[in-house]
Amino acid sequence: MKKIVTLQQSIMAEDEKFAAAIREENRKRGLLMVNLIGSPGCGKTTLLEKTAELGGFPFAVIEGDLATDRDAERLAGWDIPVVQINTAGGCHLEANIVQKAMESLPLDSVDVLFIENVGNLVCPAEFDLGEDFKAALLSTPEGADKPLKYPYLFASSQVVLLTKTDLLPHLSFDMEMFTEDVKKLNPEAPVLLLDASSGEGYDRWISLLQERIREKRAHGR
Amino acid sequence: MHEVSLVESIVTALEKMMEEEGWTQISEVRLRIGVLRQVNPEILSFAFETVTKGTPLEGARLFVTDVPLEYRCRECGQMWGEEDGLCPACGSPSRETLAGMELEIESLEVEENP
Ligand SMILES: Nc1nc2c(ncn2[C@@H]2O[C@H](COP(=O)(O)OP(=O)(O)OP(=O)(O)O)[C@@H](O)[C@H]2O)c(=O)[nH]1
Ligand SMILES: [Mg+2]
Ligand SMILES: [Zn+2]
């Protein structure tokens, strides 16, 4: 016998249960969780290194990587607790795997848990990991047209980080188009310009994080 | 690539549901997908055909409804649909996204033992 079943449920319903559990855990802990998403090589690990250098608050990292543990090694040099998740070719992290990885991190003694997602502008944005917010990273050599080409990431992130701004003099990066397009997709998200070679721009990133850490602590713990 | 991830999530969810509900077959799957999700319909159908091979969903028909963007201004309540940043009525940047982000299984046609 045939029948029609109305579901109206998210395709990601299963993942969302894990994400909700992580969110609840972190709420109780007062732990801020930030999901970093951008292309391969856009500067995600560099951002974490600069945050360790300039931030002055303890944090832990979950590294999503297709195959290697290079990024985890780089961060271990900063005394940052890191867990590496090898996705073995998988293009994104999922909440059930992140939840397991969290068990092996000293989360009660840090203020922030960063997720360095797999380098990709599409899939990682689809999967809710239970984070407080997503940060979209774009490096200047990738081109100013990327926000409209990958709208979901830029529309669903709470902050947009344009990295490698020191290279701007060598590129024909249309900054006006970039900021206009981001504003169309996400009028309230701040756009921060970061240059890792001079350290310019990181003060805003650090103060944004400090403010979010304070808010999170005030509601948890 | 992400079409494949989506289909895999769908298949996992539906296989589980099939077992729990005791359906013998799923013959039709209807999805609602928001325009901001950048799902390519051809890649999605191809991924669906490929991923469902050898699963209880093999041969099921797939229908996708595109859901257009819909924003509502938090200041004045104006609704609009283009991918434009500020409220067309009052210029406020504060808006809610009501539609356009969906990744939803709307309904199924299933076969049950009488
Ligand atoms: N010129 C310049 N180079 C940068 C900047 N930030 C990062 N890089 C360089 O870009 C390259 C990639 O940086 P990573 O931080 O490894 O990028 P990633 O996003 O972590 O890369 P994957 O994890 O492999 O996807 C490295 O050679 C960095 O030194 C910057 O602000 N300016
Ligand atoms: Mg990296
Ligand atoms: Zn308005």
Side-chain angles (χ1 to χ4, degrees):
Chain A
M1 215 173 65
K2 274 194 193 334
K3 69 170 185 183
I4 303 287
V5 183
T6 306
L7 290 180
Q8 288 176 334
Q9 76 167 38
S10 163
I11 290 177
M12 310 298 195
E14 205 55 31
D15 289 297
E16 282 161 9
K17 276 183 219 156
F18 287 102
I22 291 175
R23 212 162 258 131
E24 177 55 18
E25 235 177 89
N26 290 344
R27 189 191 62 75
K28 284 192 206 133
R29 267 200 194 103
L31 176 70
L32 181 70
M33 178 168 161
V34 182
N35 188 356
L36 305 174
I37 302 179
S39 302
C42 68
K44 298 177 292 298
T45 309
T46 304
L47 177 73
L48 292 170
E49 290 172 324
K50 296 302 280 185
T51 307
E53 182 191 329
L54 305 167
F57 49 80
F59 63 84
V61 176
I62 294 179
E63 274 292 338
D65 206 302
L66 291 172
T68 74
D69 57 3
R70 292 258 171 91
D71 286 354
E73 273 172 27
R74 267 167 74 185
L75 295 173
W78 287 92
D79 267 333
I80 300 166
V82 187
V83 187
Q84 158 94 24
I85 300 177
N86 236 310
T87 60
C91 54
H92 59 269
L93 290 174
E94 292 178 18
N96 59 336
I97 303 167
V98 168
Q99 194 181 39
K100 280 194 209 94
M102 285 170 68
E103 286 167 14
S104 50
L105 284 170
L107 295 179
D108 289 321
S109 51
V110 296
D111 291 335
V112 189
L113 171 61
F114 287 105
I115 311 292
E116 178 175 339
N117 220 310
V118 183
N120 180 330
L121 292 172
V122 186
C123 308
E126 306 282 9
F127 289 83
D128 184 2
L129 302 181
E131 70 273 347
D132 291 278
F133 66 91
K134 289 188 280 202
L137 286 85
L138 182 76
S139 59
T140 53
E142 292 171 71
D145 58 347
K146 294 304 168 291
L148 286 192
K149 287 194 180 172
Y150 301 95
Y152 187 70
L153 172 61
F154 290 89
S156 64
S157 294
Q158 285 187 19
V159 55
V160 175
L161 307 174
L162 182 66
T163 62
K164 310 192 189 180
T165 52
D166 53 310
L167 302 178
L168 282 170
H170 310 285
L171 305 164
S172 52
F173 186 90
D174 187 340
M175 187 64 82
E176 200 180 315
M177 179 173 97
F178 173 75
T179 45
E180 280 293 300
D181 287 352
V182 170
K183 198 169 260 172
K184 272 184 201 164
L185 291 167
N186 198 340
E188 288 183 294
V191 176
L192 311 188
L193 309 186
L194 304 177
D195 167 4
S197 59
S198 72
E200 215 173 302
Y202 290 93
D203 48 343
R204 278 188 74 196
W205 167 244
I206 300 294
S207 57
L208 182 148
L209 288 170
Q210 282 166 338
E211 193 184 318
R212 297 298 299 257
I213 292 169
R214 264 197 304 276
E215 278 171 23
K216 193 74 197 222
R217 278 221 206 103
H219 291 105
R221 279 184 195 176
Chain B
M1 190 118 168
H2 90 132
E3 284 80 2
V4 175
S5 319
L6 292 183
V7 172
E8 283 169 351
S9 299
I10 295 170
V11 172
T12 312
L14 293 186
E15 278 185 321
K16 190 169 161 222
M17 214 178 282
M18 238 175 134
E19 201 174 293
E20 286 167 3
E21 304 287 332
W23 302 328
T24 54
Q25 206 200 342
I26 295 179
S27 46
E28 189 178 292
V29 178
R30 288 185 182 265
L31 307 178
R32 276 163 48 83
I33 296 188
V35 290
L36 277 181
R37 292 295 191 154
Q38 303 162 269
V39 172
N40 177 315
E42 274 143 46
I43 299 178
L44 187 75
S45 326
F46 180 72
F48 188 79
E49 246 174 68
T50 314
V51 174
T52 54
K53 281 233 167 74
T55 76
L57 277 112
E58 184 168 347
R61 294 180 303 274
L62 178 70
F63 295 95
V64 179
T65 309
D66 295 325
V67 185
L69 274 174
E70 195 177 10
Y71 296 122
R72 180 168 58 205
C73 175
R74 287 207 184 93
E75 299 298 326
C76 75
Q78 171 80 20
M79 314 253 280
W80 75 101
E82 303 89 69
E83 209 169 78
D84 210 345
L86 308 177
C87 168
C90 76
S92 162
S94 180
R95 67 185 190 193
E96 272 173 278
T97 308
L98 301 181
M101 301 260 204
E102 295 74 4
L103 277 185
E104 205 178 277
I105 307 175
E106 187 178 24
S107 67
L108 306 171
E109 184 186 86
V110 304
E111 189 80 39
E112 262 182 341
N113 280 329

